[in-house]
Amino acid sequence: MRRIAVISACLLAAAPGFSFGFDASAGVSIYIPESLYEHGQGSISVETDVQYSFELSKYLSVPVGVSYDKIFGLEAANPVETPQPQSPWFFADSVMPYAELKVHLPVGPFYGDLFGGLAANWYATLTPIGQNIESYLAAQKGPGTIISFTNPVVAPGVGLGWVAGGDLGVDLGKMKLDVSFTYRDVSQPLGLSGSYYENGSTAPNGLDASWASEATLVMRGISIGVNGTVSF
């Protein structure tokens, strides 16, 4: 966090010819979860995005926006477990607000942008994929183990993380069109609980303590989108 603040301050100090402006944009993208391109699990989804950008100069702006998506590719991660789960554990409606710093590089009527910043995430709905959860936990216990984990739920909360990427586009005057590429890494404590059974009997201590205290719910992946921007 401190590094981001220092970098932001340096970029603002170096920005030539401050002339404030305002842009509004909307876009549609495909989101590819990490679980799909690394493990072949999950699926591509369609994401919508609305963004407002405050121009500080010809080369520097501060975009803020929000993305919405139905994601099948939310993974669990636990630093004390090996191997990590390789299939998604949840399907969710994701609402992700973000704030970035963007560097604009015009070349005639064309341009490229580089951007990065902070993101938060709220899951409007979060549906567990029980079979994937049970299969992984059973494999951790050893051959022949059968796990039944009914009504798994995640403690409510907001995920925090970062986004970064770039775009290539064409400037049509008051309007811009571009293709963007964005990577995100947003996580929150998993806080997983529910009715946990091992080989037909209730486990003495419920879910393993490591999953209760150490695990995180992770949204990582790549978005490839098309965006339209109007300048005011």
Side-chain angles (χ1 to χ4, degrees):
M1 187 73 71
R2 185 177 298 174
R3 290 182 180 177
I4 293 175
V6 171
I7 292 171
S8 300
C10 291
L11 287 172
L12 290 172
F18 280 83
S19 56
F20 292 90
F22 177 73
D23 290 342
S25 65
V28 177
S29 59
I30 59 170
Y31 174 68
I32 308 170
E34 182 182 79
S35 64
L36 181 60
Y37 59 79
E38 286 199 352
H39 309 301
Q41 301 285 328
S43 65
I44 292 173
S45 55
V46 177
E47 185 171 73
T48 56
D49 182 87
V50 176
Q51 183 183 105
Y52 299 95
S53 182
F54 303 92
E55 296 181 354
L56 304 181
S57 76
K58 181 180 179 180
Y59 304 105
L60 192 64
S61 62
V62 179
V64 295
V66 61
S67 298
Y68 169 77
D69 197 357
K70 282 183 171 289
I71 297 176
F72 176 35
L74 297 174
E75 298 178 287
N78 191 327
V80 302
E81 292 283 357
T82 303
Q84 297 294 308
Q86 296 186 355
S87 59
W89 279 23
F90 295 91
F91 175 85
D93 288 272
S94 165
V95 180
M96 188 184 76
Y98 59 87
E100 301 169 334
L101 197 64
K102 178 185 285 187
V103 177
H104 183 66
L105 306 170
V107 182
F110 304 101
Y111 63 87
D113 294 326
L114 296 174
F115 51 82
L118 303 178
N121 187 75
W122 172 64
Y123 294 114
T125 63
L126 190 61
T127 304
I129 306 169
Q131 181 178 355
N132 290 353
I133 298 173
E134 291 169 349
S135 295
Y136 175 81
L137 295 176
Q140 298 303 97
K141 293 288 186 177
T145 303
I146 299 174
I147 297 296
S148 176
F149 192 31
T150 60
N151 303 317
V153 296
V154 174
V158 174
L160 299 174
W162 57 274
V163 293
D167 57 48
L168 297 171
V170 58
D171 192 335
L172 304 175
K174 287 292 184 179
M175 187 173 182
K176 300 183 182 74
L177 297 174
D178 63 61
V179 177
S180 63
F181 305 85
T182 307
Y183 179 80
R184 72 185 62 170
D185 186 341
V186 181
S187 63
Q188 68 185 66
L190 186 60
L192 187 62
S193 62
S195 300
Y196 182 91
Y197 301 90
E198 183 177 331
N199 294 332
S201 300
T202 304
N205 298 313
L207 188 64
D208 289 351
S210 64
W211 280 105
S213 61
E214 301 290 342
T216 54
L217 178 61
V218 179
M219 178 174 63
R220 293 194 191 101
I222 300 169
S223 291
I224 304 173
V226 178
N227 310 283
T229 301
V230 177
S231 299
F232 296 93

